[in-house]
Amino acid sequence: MNGLIALVPIPTPNMDLGQIAPLEIVFGAALISVLVEAFVRREGRRRVQLVLVFASLIAAVAALVGLAGTRTLTAQASVAVDGPALFMQGTVLLLAIVGALLIAERSIDPAGDAFAPRASALPGGREERELTAAGWSQTEVWPLFLFCVGGMLLFPASNDLLTMFVALEVLSLPLYLLAGLARRRRLLSQEASLKYFLLGAFSSAFFLFGTAMLYGFAGTFSLGGIADALSGNAGDNGLVMLGVALLAVGLLFKVAAVPFHQWTPDVYQGAPTPITAFMATCVKVAAFGALLRVMYVALGGVRWDWQPMLWIIAIITMLVGVIVAIAQTDIKRMLAYSSIAHAGFILLGVIAVSEAGIASTMFYLAAYGFATLGAFAVVSLVRDSSGEATHLSQWAGLGKRSPVVAGIFTLFLLAFAGIPLTSGFTSKFAVFSAAIAGGATPVVIVAVFASVISAFFYARIIVLMFFAEPAEEGPRVVLPSAFTALALAIGVAVTVLLGVLPQPLLNLAQQAGIFLR
Amino acid sequence: MNIGTAVFAQETVLAPANGTFSLIWLLIALPALGAAILLLGGRRTNAWGHLLGVLMPVASFVVAAFLFAAMLGQPAEERGAVQHLYDWQIVGAFKVPFSLQLDQLSMVFVLLITFVGSLIHIYAIGYMAHDPARRKFFGYLNLFVAAMLLLVLADNYLLLYVGWEGVGLASFLLIGWYQYKDSAAVAAKKAFIINRVGDFGLSLAIMFMFAVFGGVTFETVNAGIGSASEGTATWIGLLLLLAACGKSAQFPLQAWLFDAMEGPTPVSALIHAATMVTAGVYLIVRSNAIFDAAPTARLLVLIVGCISLIWGAIIGCAKDDLKKALAGSTMSQIGYMVVAAGLGPVGYVFAIFHLLTHGFFKAGLFLGAGSVMHANNDKINMRHLGALRTVMMITFVTFGICTLAIMGIPPFAGFFSKDDIIKAAFSQSPVAGVVTLIGAGITGFYMTRIFLMTFLGKARWEDDQHPHESPAVMWIPMVVLAIGATIGGVLMWPSHWLETWLEPAVPYQEHAQTLPEWLWIIITVGTALIGILWAVALYRREVPVTPPAGSLLTRAAREELYGNEINETLTMLPGQVLTRSSVFFDNRVVDGFVNGMAAVVWGVSGALRTVQNGFARSYALTMLGGAVLLVALLVLVRL
């Protein structure tokens, strides 16, 4: 027996801890955060959690900067550390920092932060009323947030399908919970949470099924291994096609592409607004990172097969997004459909299948992320006695009452519409030109058409805010604390800067280069 | 782009600026700072604003003199310097160095601009003394000086374009200075719009250069032009000529210059006589490599110069408004410079020489005109002047010297510069030679007419007119300019100093002399004298206060040879028709289509919305359908 053990040594996992330092920092902080929930006294908990969250996110950014230029596979080749991964992770971390500022906001709602005092209390019940009256608030949102961010860091860096699936679950499960934590309109929030969970589980199953198919074909989960198997076996691959389609369902669900988008408006509307902002930006970045990696690294060899599929998905995503957005009467639902349409635009970068495609997708994600965070921050400021005033009719004449806030929102809307001198123009230009270079001119024509339609509903809100008479008893704009103010300032600054002086970030995205396999 | 940069690195002749030459940026920064303080400082700077406004160009002149002395201390080939300030990265690969280039050509311009500019600033202290917004006026003037210096110091076309637009802005602001007068406001707009046409040519030329050569620095363009086709060079040359026509009021974009006289007279002297309007000549001379490679474009330069030369001179003969007559003269004299520039290496140096002497005597003439206006209640109609010699001795003498200079009477400066152009023109093209000679005759005529009507003859003053000499702050600059107009010829005679000086930056080629020197002097001076005597014969008699009907040509010349009417018929009317029809098209066709589309989209939107029914089960069904669709798509592609 002894001899046998000696003959078959258990291989030491090849794991360079320094190369996955950002992941370690965030997951470590998440674990500590759980302990803080358990052991730190209630009065000091929030402060400790905030210090922990911001310190760990900033430390992770610093660790990421230290890794700049690294190109290697680590952790038994299950995690790739390459330019695109680092860029995506950096984007996620910076957006998460701004998102955390919104989550930390406590002075907008007179009752406290945006989250339910006790998630398990019955909505509208006696317990909830008492807790609210006592000024109770929970900090469990922070460990969930950190786990989620950790999953988002791993998702675009996963180099095999199994790690990717684990990352997908790590980022999704906390999100399902976070979506259900709203302090106001709790039933809507819980409904959103449940729907998101059910449909998310459904899509995860698709992803897993696709993974199984590809494993069946290639005999490996590794993205590079699948690519090798594909290049070695060009003929018979019915398993591959099934696998590609099912894997795509899982990923397209996360980026909210049509027809896997229907959860988006309901969840965006129901979730607490800071969580919606976080979800609409960071999840999109992480999911597009993973989509790009799977499609480019593992399935690059069969791109002639999947490109037409993504062409069609991109076209219907853009069209459905912009067309349905027109008829929306709720600002959060409108932003949800707008985010669906933007997912379609970003898909243009994916179908380019080129280095420019990667760079433009990453630029778009960063630019869109900061504008979106800012837009949702503004949404959280416009309130009436029952909470956020999200019905569009309540926004009439906002520009007359609060010109600064309406002006900031206008800037974000212009960026969404892709008007020059905002980040939206630069990013649209980048993905459009990458897609044209990649031979997808018909899709770009549809995209331009969709941009025109989208300009209509963005402009409609601007007109509503500035040229309509304010409603009687209309909502008021709450003066936020430094958290939201800082988040708004960052959003405005990035949106303008990337519109006026996009070159540094474009250069950075181009330097990120291609995926490692 | 990379290839262009590599060529640039190899062919750079100008050294990076160090030592004294690291002061180049100060030339522009000083007046720019002055403009910033005066325009942003508001009323707080009213008390001392005009003094700061004068100090800045004077300081800039002192720096220029320093740099000039430093350049003289260098061997001829090493006199130029480029000061790289930073890279102006516009977008993508389009990067332009923000660099200042001080070579021999720029140096003479810098000296002219800062010296004449300083004098005119000093003059304006007196001229604008009673204007409540004098401080703002000096702010605009400083802005102009800064922009003009940027124009001549830029080391690439794009930066030159920034200066080009800057002087255009200053010109617009200053022409419309008396904005309460409709005529001034309209004149400012007119100048701006006509200049847009020329500016459009320049911007197209720059885009062309970027597309063809991959860069817009003078070095890149000069290096690339050799290998470019003649068609390319011709296109760029023609676009640059269009730009020059707009800025320098050359045919067919001359109409704005006459209205520009609505501005205060120091503005007319500085911007619309001595410096800004010569920017077109600078542009052509600076782009000599392009015109060397494009004979057709160069021929057109020559033709434009010839037409403008005669056109302006004829208008100058008929205008009763002193400043407008001088404006005609400006157009005509710049025509001389353009002719010289159109002659190629034979003429570039003479174009610059005439530009310099013209800067002195024309500024002197305008300041004299300003002095006359100042003394006569802003009356400028020469039919109500006359006999000013008796009361304005200094103005009379300085104006007289400048008149002799512009007519080309030896030994005044204009004689040398005009003589050179006429000789060079004859050597290249007899037609151009004859035109320049006729121009010299007409110059003699209209200048004599102006001089006689203003200073001699009987006083035709109106009751409220009490002419008097201007204060010292005004006449001292006039005297200095008159001295310059007297001795300016030394630049080229007896030694050919200017030619030797400019040689490394501006190519020069000696032309064959066909006639002996003394015969030339007799011919040119004789022609001018014919014009002078003719005018004396006509205007020796009493000048009627109301203008006589005049011949057909006179009447046409009074109407600026119908330049405005031509513009209106050829460009304005078609423009209006186009606007109206496109508005009609927009209202009926475009809007109709858009509204129809909107209705369709709205309908589809409503229909799609019903799919979003809120049930997780139907969402899951949609997802399943989507998955089936994806599989189907992949299989379909396989088929």
Side-chain angles (χ1 to χ4, degrees):
Chain A
M1 280 302 268
N2 285 346
L4 205 61
I5 290 168
L7 282 175
V8 190
I10 298 171
T12 324
N14 155 29
M15 183 90 104
D16 183 339
L17 293 178
Q19 285 164 344
I20 49 169
L23 280 166
E24 290 158 3
I25 293 170
V26 173
F27 278 125
L31 293 173
I32 297 171
S33 183
V34 174
L35 296 178
V36 169
E37 282 299 306
F39 294 109
V40 175
R41 290 169 65 85
R42 176 169 291 280
E43 301 84 62
R45 220 180 271 167
R46 175 180 145 89
R47 190 164 302 149
V48 176
Q49 291 285 23
L50 283 183
V51 170
L52 182 67
V53 166
F54 284 105
S56 63
L57 291 179
I58 290 167
V61 173
L64 207 61
V65 172
L67 283 174
T70 316
R71 273 179 78 79
T72 181
L73 297 179
T74 186
Q76 289 291 75
S78 65
V79 176
V81 183
D82 55 16
L86 293 176
F87 191 99
M88 298 282 188
Q89 290 176 334
T91 313
V92 165
L93 281 172
L94 293 176
L95 290 172
I97 290 174
V98 181
L101 288 172
L102 297 180
I103 297 173
E105 175 65 56
R106 229 173 24 164
S107 57
I108 291 178
D109 194 321
D113 55 20
F115 304 99
R118 180 175 291 167
S120 57
L122 203 62
R126 190 170 57 85
E127 190 187 4
E128 186 189 74
R129 274 199 303 280
E130 282 169 3
L131 289 168
T132 307
W136 205 260
S137 74
Q138 280 290 6
T139 49
E140 64 212 354
V141 61
W142 292 115
L144 292 170
F145 172 79
L146 282 175
F147 276 117
C148 190
V149 172
M152 289 167 176
L153 293 183
L154 182 58
F155 200 35
S158 312
N159 194 43
D160 68 53
L161 292 174
L162 217 49
T163 311
M164 196 173 270
F165 179 73
V166 172
L168 174 66
E169 291 305 306
V170 170
L171 84 85
S172 299
L173 290 170
L175 272 183
Y176 303 146
L177 288 173
L178 287 169
L181 288 181
R183 178 185 288 274
R184 310 272 182 162
R185 299 183 188 129
R186 286 193 59 205
L187 278 175
L188 197 63
S189 173
Q190 291 186 349
E191 184 191 330
S193 175
L194 190 64
K195 267 186 203 167
Y196 194 18
F197 169 66
L198 285 173
L199 296 172
F202 194 41
S203 83
S204 293
F206 277 109
F207 185 92
L208 208 51
F209 202 12
T211 305
M213 293 295 156
L214 287 175
Y215 183 82
F217 168 78
T220 172
F221 290 118
S222 144
L223 299 185
I226 293 170
D228 290 339
L230 277 174
S231 65
N233 185 356
D236 163 43
N237 40 15
L239 273 181
V240 178
M241 290 305 112
L242 206 54
V244 171
L246 297 177
L247 208 58
V249 173
L251 292 166
L252 291 173
F253 173 83
K254 275 289 164 216
V255 305
V258 178
F260 316 103
H261 67 289
Q262 284 182 307
W263 58 276
T264 317
D266 294 12
V267 175
Y268 279 22
Q269 187 187 16
T273 305
I275 297 301
T276 309
F278 173 60
M279 208 155 51
T281 56
C282 293
V283 174
K284 209 153 256 186
V285 179
F288 265 106
L291 181 66
L292 275 173
R293 187 175 292 279
V294 169
M295 289 305 182
Y296 281 37
V297 177
L299 307 174
V302 286
R303 68 160 173 276
W304 308 116
D305 290 305
W306 57 257
Q307 253 174 334
M309 167 187 98
L310 282 190
W311 276 34
I312 305 235
I313 294 290
I315 289 173
I316 58 175
T317 303
M318 290 184 289
L319 288 181
V320 169
V322 295
I323 290 176
V324 183
I326 286 182
Q328 296 308 312
T329 52
D330 182 286
I331 192 94
K332 280 170 88 176
R333 288 184 80 84
M334 193 283 282
L335 285 173
Y337 280 104
S338 143
S339 113
I340 292 170
H342 280 284
F345 291 129
I346 303 173
L347 276 174
L348 288 179
V350 179
I351 58 180
V353 195
S354 64
E355 214 174 319
I358 302 176
S360 60
T361 305
M362 294 195 300
F363 183 88
Y364 200 121
L365 287 165
Y368 166 76
F370 283 99
T372 305
L373 279 172
F376 279 108
V378 173
V379 170
S380 72
L381 294 182
V382 182
R383 307 179 75 90
D384 59 15
S385 55
S386 68
E388 284 160 8
T390 55
H391 199 273
L392 273 182
S393 64
Q394 294 173 292
W395 284 58
L398 196 72
K400 293 189 178 135
R401 236 175 289 164
S402 313
V404 176
V405 170
I408 291 174
F409 198 62
T410 302
L411 173 73
F412 295 133
L413 291 176
L414 293 177
F416 291 147
I419 304 297
L421 294 186
T422 64
S423 58
F425 171 75
T426 324
S427 39
K428 275 214 179 82
F429 184 82
V431 289
F432 287 7
S433 48
I436 287 179
T441 313
V443 191
V444 174
I445 292 173
V446 177
V448 171
F449 190 63
S451 297
V452 175
I453 300 179
S454 79
F456 168 74
F457 59 81
Y458 295 128
R460 193 167 59 124
I461 296 177
I462 298 173
V463 171
L464 189 71
M465 286 195 299
F466 285 97
F467 302 104
E469 279 309 307
E472 294 288 320
E473 300 288 310
R476 64 199 176 85
V477 170
V478 187
L479 204 64
S481 72
F483 287 114
T484 303
L486 184 60
L488 269 178
I490 295 174
V492 170
V494 173
T495 303
V496 173
L497 206 65
L498 292 185
V500 180
L501 206 75
Q503 207 58 46
L505 188 68
L506 276 175
N507 286 346
L508 194 67
Q510 272 151 15
Q511 277 163 20
I514 52 167
F515 291 104
L516 186 66
R517 47 166 296 195
Chain B
M1 189 69 188
N2 287 333
I3 298 165
T5 325
V7 172
F8 174 85
Q10 281 164 11
E11 301 213 351
T12 299
V13 270
L14 301 180
N18 41 32
T20 320
F21 291 108
S22 54
L23 295 177
I24 297 175
W25 65 277
L26 264 183
L27 289 172
I28 300 170
L30 286 168
L33 178 70
I37 293 175
L38 294 178
L39 295 179
L40 301 177
R43 250 168 294 165
R44 271 156 292 179
T45 60
N46 268 357
W48 42 269
H50 56 286
L51 297 178
L52 181 81
V54 171
L55 182 67
M56 287 306 179
V58 171
S60 200
F61 172 69
V62 171
V63 175
F66 252 119
L67 291 170
F68 182 54
M71 278 174 96
L72 284 175
Q74 306 262 9
E77 289 74 29
E78 293 164 26
R79 278 179 182 153
V82 170
Q83 182 171 33
H84 181 73
L85 296 175
Y86 61 90
D87 270 334
W88 183 15
Q89 183 159 16
I90 293 153
V91 69
F94 190 24
K95 196 161 71 171
V96 173
F98 198 101
S99 301
L100 303 178
Q101 166 179 334
L102 186 71
D103 64 358
Q104 291 86 342
L105 179 61
S106 302
M107 191 72 236
V108 295
F109 268 90
V110 168
L111 286 172
L112 175 77
I113 294 160
T114 53
F115 184 67
V116 176
S118 298
L119 288 177
I120 292 172
H121 275 73
I122 295 170
Y123 176 92
I125 295 179
Y127 190 85
M128 302 299 285
H130 305 298
D131 195 306
R134 177 167 69 165
R135 182 254 324 155
K136 196 165 78 175
F137 180 80
F138 276 90
Y140 289 164
L141 272 192
N142 275 5
L143 177 68
F144 167 77
V145 172
M148 188 71 204
L149 288 170
L150 180 62
L151 196 164
V152 298
L153 284 170
D155 92 321
N156 60 71
Y157 284 97
L158 194 68
L159 205 53
L160 179 148
Y161 187 64
V162 175
W164 187 272
E165 293 295 305
V167 293
L169 169 68
S171 163
F172 166 77
L173 292 170
L174 288 164
I175 293 172
W177 179 254
Y178 301 118
Q179 45 187 269
Y180 48 83
K181 287 203 297 189
D182 263 355
S183 56
V186 170
K189 275 192 280 185
K190 184 171 171 185
F192 199 79
I193 290 167
I194 295 185
N195 265 294
R196 294 313 312 152
V197 179
D199 297 352
F200 196 65
L202 184 53
S203 59
L204 281 180
I206 294 173
M207 293 176 209
F208 218 124
M209 289 172 194
F210 186 74
V212 177
F213 308 119
V216 295
T217 62
F218 297 144
E219 304 285 354
T220 318
V221 173
N222 290 349
I225 196 77
S227 47
S229 71
E230 192 183 316
T232 309
T234 305
W235 273 111
I236 297 178
L238 291 180
L239 290 168
L240 290 176
L241 174 62
L242 182 65
C245 283
K247 198 56 95 192
S248 292
Q250 297 294 288
F251 180 83
L253 298 177
Q254 80 287 358
W256 64 273
L257 185 64
F258 302 97
D259 300 71
M261 296 299 128
E262 289 288 341
T265 310
V267 173
S268 310
L270 180 60
I271 301 185
H272 304 120
T275 55
M276 185 192 83
V277 286
T278 59
V281 181
Y282 172 79
L283 184 69
I284 295 174
V285 174
R286 181 54 90 190
S287 313
N288 58 64
I290 294 171
F291 287 98
D292 283 344
T296 318
R298 174 180 288 164
L299 179 66
L300 211 68
V301 172
L302 190 65
I303 293 171
V304 163
C306 286
I307 295 177
S308 307
L309 190 169
I310 298 294
W311 190 290
I314 291 175
I315 295 174
C317 291
K319 285 282 181 187
D320 288 331
D321 178 315
L322 172 55
K323 280 176 73 181
K324 290 198 174 174
L326 287 176
S329 154
T330 302
M331 178 183 171
S332 168
Q333 298 301 315
I334 295 175
Y336 270 106
M337 301 170 208
V338 172
V339 165
L343 294 173
V346 174
Y348 292 136
V349 170
F350 302 134
I352 301 300
F353 183 32
H354 195 56
L355 194 155
L356 292 175
T357 59
H358 176 257
F360 277 87
F361 57 66
K362 185 51 68 61
L365 287 171
F366 266 108
L367 293 193
S371 177
V372 167
M373 282 177 77
H374 196 69
N376 289 286
N377 256 351
D378 285 347
K379 286 234 163 34
I380 196 67
N381 187 343
M382 292 188 286
R383 296 194 182 274
H384 293 292
L385 299 172
L388 291 177
R389 175 182 58 86
T390 51
V391 284
M392 304 179 70
M393 201 57 199
I394 300 172
T395 307
F396 167 71
V397 172
T398 57
F399 199 95
I401 289 171
C402 293
T403 303
L404 291 172
I406 193 175
M407 292 191 301
I409 303 298
F412 298 98
F415 162 71
F416 296 94
S417 54
K418 197 179 285 179
D419 204 37
D420 278 336
I421 292 178
I422 295 174
K423 279 189 285 183
F426 266 111
S427 77
Q428 299 299 304
S429 144
V431 178
V434 171
V435 170
T436 53
L437 200 58
I438 293 174
I442 308 179
T443 310
F445 179 87
Y446 68 70
M447 283 314 300
T448 311
R449 172 178 178 269
I450 289 172
F451 195 70
L452 290 176
M453 285 177 80
T454 309
F455 289 99
L456 302 175
K458 277 200 195 134
R460 298 176 298 276
W461 308 340
E462 288 174 327
D463 293 341
D464 57 342
Q465 233 165 304
H466 308 289
H468 54 87
E469 187 53 88
S470 297
V473 74
M474 286 170 66
W475 66 252
I476 289 174
M478 286 153 59
V479 169
V480 176
L481 288 171
I483 294 173
T486 311
I487 60 167
V490 297
L491 288 175
M492 283 294 263
W493 188 86
S495 77
H496 284 217
W497 179 84
L498 185 67
E499 174 204 311
T500 333
W501 167 258
L502 286 176
E503 178 88 60
V506 177
Y508 176 67
Q509 181 195 331
E510 201 148 342
H511 57 83
Q513 279 286 22
T514 43
L515 297 175
E517 193 66 30
W518 58 267
L519 193 55
W520 274 119
I521 298 179
I522 291 178
I523 292 175
T524 55
V525 176
T527 317
L529 278 175
I530 294 173
I532 294 169
L533 292 175
W534 192 0
V536 169
L538 275 177
Y539 291 90
R540 197 166 43 100
R541 291 167 294 189
E542 189 49 38
V543 179
V545 174
T546 45
S551 67
L552 200 62
L553 183 63
T554 314
R555 271 177 291 166
R558 280 190 196 132
E559 294 299 318
E560 292 155 25
L561 299 180
Y562 302 113
N564 290 316
E565 285 71 15
I566 294 171
N567 285 351
E568 277 166 21
T569 334
L570 288 187
T571 59
M572 206 173 89
L573 272 183
Q576 282 172 339
V577 171
L578 187 68
T579 324
R580 292 207 186 107
S581 47
S582 54
V583 165
F584 178 82
F585 183 78
D586 186 57
N587 282 342
R588 297 293 167 87
V589 183
V590 178
D591 283 6
F593 176 74
V594 168
N595 292 340
M597 281 303 293
V600 171
V601 169
W602 196 267
V604 174
S605 182
L608 279 176
R609 234 182 128 190
T610 52
V611 180
Q612 189 77 20
N613 56 12
F615 292 118
R617 55 172 187 265
S618 41
Y619 294 179
L621 189 63
T622 316
M623 280 176 67
L624 186 63
V628 171
L629 173 79
L630 290 196
V631 174
L633 277 174
L634 281 171
V635 173
L636 273 179
V637 169
R638 275 276 142 165
L639 296 176

